[in-house]
Amino acid sequence: MCGIVGGIANRNIVPILTEGLRRLEYRGYDSAGVAVINDGIKRVRRVGRVAEMEAGIAAEGLTGILGIGHTRWATHGGVTELNAHPHVSSDEIAVVHNGIIENHEEQRVRLKALGYAFDSQTDTEVIAHLVHHYYKESGDLFIATQHAVRDLHGAYAIGVVTLKDLNTMTCARIGCPLLIGLGDKENFIASDVSAILPVTRRIMYLEEGDVAALTRHGVTVADSTGKIVERAIHISDVADDASDLGPYQHFMQKEIHEQPRAISDTLEAILADGINSTLFGEGAAEVFKKIDSVLILASGTSSYASMVGKQWIESVAKLPCIVELGHEYRYRDSIPNPRQLVVTLSQSGETLDTMEALKRAKELGHTNTLSICNVRESAIPRASKLVFYTRAGKEIGVASTKAFTTQLIALFALALTLAKEHGRLTAQQEADFIEQLRYVPGSVQHALNLEPQIKAWAQKFAEKEHALFLGRGLHYPIALEGALKLKEISYIHAEAYPAGELKHGPLALVDSAMPVVVIAPNDTLLEKVKSNMQEVSARGGELFVFTDLDSNFKESDGVHVIRAPRHSGLLSPIVHAIPVQLLAYHAALVKGTDVDKPRNLAKSVTVE
């Protein structure tokens, strides 16, 4: 469910589809497939990597001048070839789909009554049958696609082809990104510009609710009302990509949606070479072997990432870890430990509080220093012995999003590396953790697909003056991050507490006017969190719960639930950071604040 590419041309489209899917592998996926029109709908689908799909294509000699391709991350239905995309209806319509169709069960019942049989467990197959149903009525793929998407509730980006029209491809989007690439007598669709850069840099970004029809000679776009509209054409320049809003309203929204790619890029060396101290620079192995504890210095959002990192370091590497705010550390008496690793976190590498804290640590005799930073050659990395550069790309929005989640990736890699250097990580554990890391970009993409549901919550939050955020264990820092984001950009007063602390004072604030956001993944503390939720409900509080698909929560009056698709174990905080970012963004959008440049704040804090 993570990547789409399609094309209509006068040449064999299959190599373009396969190269496009290869370029989308960073999103995370568990199956891949293509469908082309060539004397029927010809499909190749494989569980596993794109390379396995390519081998199947070569074996079958697949060719065609009209086709669609997809990389899927399983949500509805398991990881099987039958559930892999593209999906086909009546051997006439083929569809690929990113997103989640919330009313798929209702549509499935309806379509079965109309005589359609289902081969998969997916929500996507209902789209193929709906398009086929309306195509039988209209004989026009563009009209059929417009009618079909009006029946869908949820988030989607889709690409559609039909055996009966070799000159048209259609696509549509709500909630999930989709763009059109314009070529010379050929046109393309993709969920990410990287998929089609080898064939065109002329890009048309579809807006929310758009439905488009592509031929070899042009593109027709209808907006959500059905009105034919013109969409601007952009020339993609990868060097300037960070400064191009593309289809997004704000840089914060763009940067939230860039997180699967940013995480994947940050993970690249780890997934390629395994856990290795060289990730942190020359001499890291020698430094890591001799340390006996860790001190992390950071401020703001980076300090919340550090709080998660502390728990990872202590649970995985079994080393004591302390987190301190840089602006507090530099002014207090502390006891230096020359065997301690001092880690500084900063997105910009210029954060004054953190830089001054590092200087203070070095004055106290700390020589084992490591910087985790997103900007190469900035001040803090230059002042540190070791460096790990996250690869979030340029972050323009003041409220940090992709820098935060890539910092979490870096801290998890640090925990694993310290564990390995101290003989506390077996080969099997290392392999298991690397496999879990491989799934993170896809899980984050799924969290992004929850955006339409979160937007509905944001309407309620925008009316409030205060909010509480609760979490336990690894997810208490995510509650802190959620409260900070809401404060930063919507100006709604929000506070976060460990959920167990509720009864020790904050419960006095709870009433029907105080929304309470709960980060409640399906971990060992879930039952404890449920007890804390009961305390809120008993006082008339309204609960907004972010949980996982396998958690046993039911919605009721005063209890609203949004589920991420699967629990991600120790890495769950990375996934659950996404919904709280989206909630803050959309609440701010409703309130009409300056999302990218909130009042009184700056991107890089270079004053004390």
Side-chain angles (χ1 to χ4, degrees):
M1 233 171 66
C2 291
I4 287 174
V5 63
I8 180 169
N10 289 316
R11 55 173 164 158
N12 182 17
I13 207 78
V14 173
I16 296 171
L17 299 181
T18 55
E19 172 62 15
L21 294 181
R22 188 186 65 77
R23 287 168 169 261
L24 294 175
E25 287 189 285
Y26 74 88
R27 290 171 173 260
Y29 65 102
D30 45 41
S31 62
V34 297
V36 296
I37 307 299
N38 187 345
D39 192 27
I41 296 177
K42 307 294 186 184
R43 274 189 298 177
V44 172
R45 298 180 294 172
R46 293 290 187 272
V47 170
R49 318 308 292 171
V50 167
E52 295 173 44
M53 180 202 71
E54 287 185 276
I57 288 170
E60 296 190 21
L62 196 68
T63 62
I65 59 174
L66 170 63
I68 48 179
H70 193 266
T71 52
R72 175 184 187 251
W73 179 267
T75 51
H76 298 83
V79 182
T80 67
E81 192 168 301
L82 281 177
N83 288 331
H85 298 213
H87 288 284
V88 171
S89 176
S90 304
D91 295 323
E92 292 181 358
I93 299 287
V95 171
V96 289
H97 162 228
N98 287 351
I100 296 175
I101 304 303
E102 296 170 10
N103 64 333
H104 72 99
E105 291 181 353
E106 169 192 329
Q107 293 296 334
R108 184 178 284 252
V109 171
R110 171 193 171 196
L111 288 161
K112 283 183 176 179
L114 290 171
Y116 287 96
F118 284 79
D119 297 322
S120 76
Q121 301 166 296
T122 67
D123 55 342
T124 301
E125 195 175 356
V126 303
I127 304 172
H129 292 321
L130 281 172
V131 173
H132 183 266
H133 169 66
Y134 288 117
Y135 189 73
K136 286 192 301 181
E137 294 180 352
S138 67
D140 185 305
L141 189 62
F142 190 31
I143 293 172
T145 304
Q146 288 176 287
H147 286 178
V149 297
R150 289 172 190 157
D151 292 341
L152 303 177
H153 300 158
Y156 57 79
I158 64 171
V160 187
V161 294
T162 176
L163 176 62
K164 292 192 171 183
D165 186 350
L166 302 182
N167 298 307
T168 306
M169 167 187 293
T170 59
C171 61
R173 69 166 292 264
I174 281 183
C176 295
L178 194 69
L179 55 88
I180 294 172
L182 304 172
D184 182 12
K185 297 181 181 178
E186 57 185 21
N187 291 303
F188 308 92
I189 63 170
S191 51
D192 188 307
V193 70
S194 63
I196 54 174
L197 283 178
V199 289
T200 184
R201 290 181 177 270
R202 298 177 65 232
I203 304 300
M204 179 186 295
Y205 293 105
L206 295 180
E207 297 186 7
E208 197 83 344
D210 279 355
V211 180
L214 293 73
T215 68
R216 292 170 183 82
H217 302 287
V219 175
T220 302
V221 180
D223 66 13
S224 58
T225 69
K227 179 183 176 183
I228 301 301
V229 293
E230 296 288 332
R231 298 297 182 215
I233 298 172
H234 304 265
I235 306 302
S236 177
D237 183 343
V238 291
D240 297 329
D241 186 56
S243 300
D244 181 6
L245 272 174
Y248 301 104
Q249 289 183 258
H250 300 92
F251 284 108
M252 182 180 179
Q253 185 191 26
K254 177 177 183 281
E255 288 156 8
I256 289 172
H257 281 270
E258 286 175 338
Q259 286 176 108
R261 182 57 181 264
I263 290 169
S264 181
D265 287 347
T266 302
L267 281 171
E268 183 177 8
I270 301 167
L271 299 183
D273 303 326
I275 302 304
N276 194 310
S277 60
T278 57
L279 292 166
F280 298 89
E282 186 177 349
E286 180 184 351
V287 170
F288 289 168
K289 281 184 171 68
K290 67 183 181 184
I291 66 161
D292 62 6
S293 59
V294 179
L295 166 65
I296 307 179
L297 302 171
S299 302
T301 285
S302 294
S303 72
Y304 301 149
S306 302
M307 291 170 67
V308 178
K310 165 188 167 67
Q311 296 188 54
W312 284 336
I313 289 167
E314 293 191 339
S315 65
V316 178
K318 309 300 182 187
L319 290 171
C321 182
I322 301 168
V323 175
E324 294 212 36
L325 295 168
H327 44 81
E328 292 294 314
Y329 172 81
R330 63 180 293 207
Y331 291 118
R332 74 171 187 83
D333 291 330
S334 60
I335 301 172
N337 173 8
R339 297 189 63 193
Q340 193 169 55
L341 176 67
V342 177
V343 181
T344 49
L345 261 71
S346 169
Q347 189 282 137
S348 66
E350 306 289 344
T351 308
L352 184 64
D353 294 330
T354 307
M355 183 69 210
E356 292 301 316
L358 175 58
K359 288 180 181 178
R360 175 61 176 159
K362 293 169 76 173
E363 289 170 0
L364 292 172
H366 288 284
T367 60
N368 303 315
T369 56
L370 164 66
S371 168
I372 294 174
C373 183
N374 191 45
V375 180
R376 291 184 175 274
E377 299 305 315
S378 50
I380 295 174
R382 290 199 308 270
S384 304
K385 178 182 288 188
L386 305 174
V387 179
F388 183 102
Y389 285 113
T390 57
R391 296 174 64 184
K394 189 174 182 180
E395 192 177 64
I396 295 174
V398 166
S400 182
T401 52
K402 60 180 180 175
F404 175 72
T405 49
T406 53
Q407 284 177 346
L408 289 173
I409 291 291
L411 287 164
F412 193 74
L414 176 62
L416 296 183
T417 305
L418 291 174
K420 189 171 183 177
E421 292 294 349
H422 284 258
R424 295 164 186 160
L425 186 72
T426 67
Q428 184 59 54
Q429 287 173 325
E430 179 179 353
D432 290 344
F433 281 129
I434 288 175
E435 186 65 14
Q436 291 173 37
L437 285 167
R438 199 179 300 278
Y439 283 106
V440 172
S443 296
V444 167
Q445 182 62 52
H446 280 300
L448 290 169
N449 291 341
L450 300 171
E451 190 167 12
Q453 297 162 259
I454 295 169
K455 285 172 69 174
W457 282 14
Q459 294 287 338
K460 296 185 176 185
F461 271 77
E463 302 168 357
K464 306 297 183 179
E465 295 183 0
H466 309 278
L468 284 177
F469 285 70
L470 304 177
R472 296 192 79 134
L474 283 168
H475 297 87
Y476 165 51
I478 303 307
L480 285 165
E481 175 65 5
L484 176 63
K485 286 290 167 284
L486 196 65
K487 282 183 281 197
E488 279 183 303
I489 62 171
S490 75
Y491 315 146
I492 297 170
H493 173 240
E495 298 297 335
Y497 293 91
E501 193 70 8
L502 191 64
K503 57 187 173 292
H504 294 287
L507 196 57
L509 296 171
V510 172
D511 60 18
S512 59
M514 174 74 81
V516 180
V517 179
V518 186
I519 317 299
N522 191 24
D523 60 14
T524 56
L525 293 172
L526 179 61
E527 294 305 316
K528 299 292 185 183
V529 174
K530 287 181 178 179
S531 296
N532 302 135
M533 289 168 55
Q534 289 294 329
E535 295 168 352
V536 172
S537 294
R539 274 79 180 175
E542 190 171 12
L543 287 158
F544 295 81
V545 185
F546 290 119
T547 185
D548 301 322
L549 196 60
D550 47 359
S551 298
N552 186 24
F553 279 106
K554 291 185 178 179
E555 291 210 24
S556 59
D557 288 341
V559 181
H560 313 281
V561 180
I562 290 179
R563 293 176 173 85
R566 59 174 77 168
H567 181 51
S568 300
L570 283 178
L571 294 164
S572 177
I574 301 172
V575 179
H576 281 276
I578 309 304
V580 298
Q581 293 173 356
L582 288 169
L583 179 62
Y585 171 75
H586 285 289
L589 209 61
V590 175
K591 288 179 69 71
T593 61
D594 191 339
V595 173
D596 287 332
K597 297 178 181 179
R599 66 190 183 197
N600 307 330
L601 300 178
K603 184 63 184 170
S604 181
V605 182
T606 55
V607 294
E608 191 173 0

